[in-house]
Amino acid sequence: MEDTSAFAKAQTKKIKCAIGFYNLENLFDTKNDPATLDDDFTPGGFKEWNSYKFDKKVKKLAKVISKIGKKETTTSPSLLGVAEVENKAVLEALIKTSKLDDERYSIVHYDSPDERGIDVALLYKKKDFTVHKSEAVTLYLETEDGDRDYTRDILYVQGNLLGTEVHILVNHWPSRRKGANETSHKRIKAAQKNRELIDNLVAQNPEARVIIMGDFNDGPHSESIKKHLVKTDFYNPMLYLGTRYEGSLNYNYEWFIFDQIIFSNNFVRIYNNDLLYEKSDIYNDFYLTEYDGKFKGNPFRTYAGKNYLGGYSDHFPVYTILTAIVKN
């Protein structure tokens, strides 16, 4: 009798791939956009931002991206969600650097209504991922006076990742600048909008595979995440990454894990799974950190106030390793 299981195994192979998320910390071009509050990031602005600083930052970010998940997969991420980018042009400059040009990344990006002009986007390797559909989903918020509070859109992308259909939601939720408690309702609204999108996807296909990623400006234990976003149908591995000594960013000498990648439960199903969750981690190699001083170990950022440091970002990237079973 023919061993069909052995034959099936011979017709398939396992591929490990990385999915990442990285807040790029104010990746602005040097031009003044009169429609947004980007004046600080111009040659005559508060930050004295110029072509030299832009080129240096882009090259540094490209180095980081080329190494995310490389230890586990031998290559750069198949998918990378990013935040705090001004426009598509800065991303095109990023993927054309010497570190990333051979990886053949493409971009999904829409201009958002954020008052500073910063957006989210998705970078993807064309050999690993095919885009079938994408759209910018408006997050409508209001100020205390009832005026619209302009913030980042949610980026929705549907596509095929190494043979499996996936739905991706890339987020950058409202900040805590005016206080965590005072602004928590905004992030709850963002969570609820994500759930609305997810519920619609699952209504159309109960087996829909959904990946939620972003800088949520809230941690895994926050009300917005734990109560309004991650319910019994999702798995959040970031619950286990943040500690007193480690996170994706540090504020006032305290670590936070605001950058997260969250999965629908079908990614962790043990049997008959063509795209299986393996592990998650923070990419925080030594070169990405402050080398000494009172902020030693913190992300090596581009600016501290007006002071130009020439670093990478005030966030570390996070990533997840998946194993795909694909046909030869």
Side-chain angles (χ1 to χ4, degrees):
M1 184 175 181
E2 184 180 4
D3 186 351
T4 55
S5 62
F7 178 77
K9 288 180 180 178
Q11 300 304 305
T12 62
K13 62 180 178 180
K14 292 183 178 181
I15 299 176
K16 288 187 182 294
C17 71
I19 295 175
F21 178 82
Y22 196 10
N23 182 320
L24 303 182
E25 191 202 10
N26 295 318
L27 184 57
F28 282 87
D29 62 24
T30 60
K31 301 172 185 175
N32 181 31
D33 183 347
T36 64
L37 302 178
D38 69 342
D39 303 55
D40 284 352
F41 287 90
T42 57
F46 177 73
K47 305 281 190 180
E48 298 179 346
W49 189 239
N50 56 37
S51 296
Y52 168 79
K53 293 175 180 176
F54 173 78
D55 290 343
K56 183 177 180 181
K57 182 175 176 75
V58 163
K59 289 175 182 176
K60 280 179 169 284
L61 292 173
K63 174 185 175 181
V64 179
I65 293 167
S66 72
K67 293 177 177 292
I68 296 172
K70 190 171 185 177
K71 181 176 67 175
E72 294 89 351
T73 68
T74 73
T75 187
S76 59
S78 297
L79 299 172
L80 182 74
V82 293
E84 292 200 15
V85 297
E86 185 178 16
N87 49 45
K88 191 172 183 178
V90 300
L91 291 172
E92 288 172 340
L94 177 64
I95 65 174
K96 288 176 182 174
T97 55
S98 60
K99 290 287 186 182
L100 295 181
D101 191 42
D102 288 345
E103 303 295 342
R104 298 292 186 266
Y105 279 104
S106 287
I107 302 163
V108 183
H109 168 272
Y110 295 90
D111 286 314
S112 78
D114 180 83
E115 60 182 11
R116 293 181 58 223
I118 55 172
D119 314 318
V120 297
L122 183 73
L123 307 182
Y124 65 95
K125 286 183 176 179
K126 289 181 281 190
K127 70 180 183 64
D128 295 340
F129 186 72
T130 303
V131 175
H132 294 160
K133 179 182 178 182
S134 69
E135 65 176 306
V137 180
T138 300
L139 175 58
Y140 187 86
L141 300 174
E142 291 186 350
T143 66
E144 293 177 357
D145 298 326
D147 298 322
R148 183 173 175 187
D149 186 357
Y150 291 95
T151 189
R152 280 77 63 179
D153 292 329
I154 301 165
L155 175 62
Y156 167 66
V157 183
Q158 177 187 358
N160 187 289
L161 175 61
L162 295 170
T164 299
E165 195 77 8
V166 296
H167 304 268
I168 304 159
L169 298 171
V170 187
N171 292 260
H172 185 191
W173 289 3
S175 77
R176 297 182 166 205
R177 192 171 296 112
K178 295 182 180 179
N181 293 331
E182 291 79 2
T183 57
S184 64
H185 66 283
K186 297 181 180 182
R187 292 183 294 281
I188 289 172
K189 283 277 190 183
Q192 291 169 339
K193 188 63 180 180
N194 274 264
R195 282 306 317 193
E196 178 186 323
L197 296 170
I198 292 163
D199 292 345
N200 287 338
L201 292 171
V202 173
Q204 297 172 43
N205 176 13
E207 289 299 312
R209 288 177 176 261
V210 183
I211 304 168
I212 319 165
M213 63 171 70
D215 174 359
F216 297 99
N217 275 303
D218 268 342
H221 297 282
S222 299
E223 180 184 358
S224 61
I225 302 288
K226 200 169 184 179
K227 183 176 179 181
H228 295 278
L229 181 65
V230 179
K231 300 186 179 179
T232 56
D233 54 346
F234 273 81
Y235 172 65
N236 187 0
M238 305 299 165
L239 276 166
Y240 312 103
L241 292 187
T243 71
R244 288 178 58 192
Y245 310 103
E246 191 173 51
S248 64
L249 75 156
N250 190 292
Y251 180 70
N252 283 344
Y253 305 100
E254 185 177 355
W255 284 105
F256 296 92
I257 188 82
F258 288 172
D259 305 274
Q260 301 172 62
I261 307 173
I262 303 165
F263 298 89
S264 52
N265 285 341
N266 41 21
F267 282 92
V268 295
R269 187 174 58 214
I270 297 175
Y271 301 105
N272 299 319
N273 195 346
D274 289 342
L275 196 57
L276 177 66
Y277 171 86
E278 295 288 348
K279 62 170 283 191
S280 293
D281 211 343
I282 303 164
Y283 180 59
N284 55 3
D285 273 12
F286 180 73
Y287 76 91
L288 279 170
T289 67
E290 294 273 4
Y291 298 159
D292 53 25
K294 64 180 180 179
F295 299 114
K296 182 179 179 181
N298 285 9
F300 182 25
R301 58 194 302 169
T302 308
Y303 278 93
K306 189 180 181 180
N307 185 27
Y308 176 68
L309 304 179
Y312 301 83
S313 171
D314 56 350
H315 291 241
F316 293 134
V318 295
Y319 69 97
T320 287
I321 302 300
L322 301 176
T323 296
I325 298 176
V326 298
K327 293 180 180 179
N328 286 324

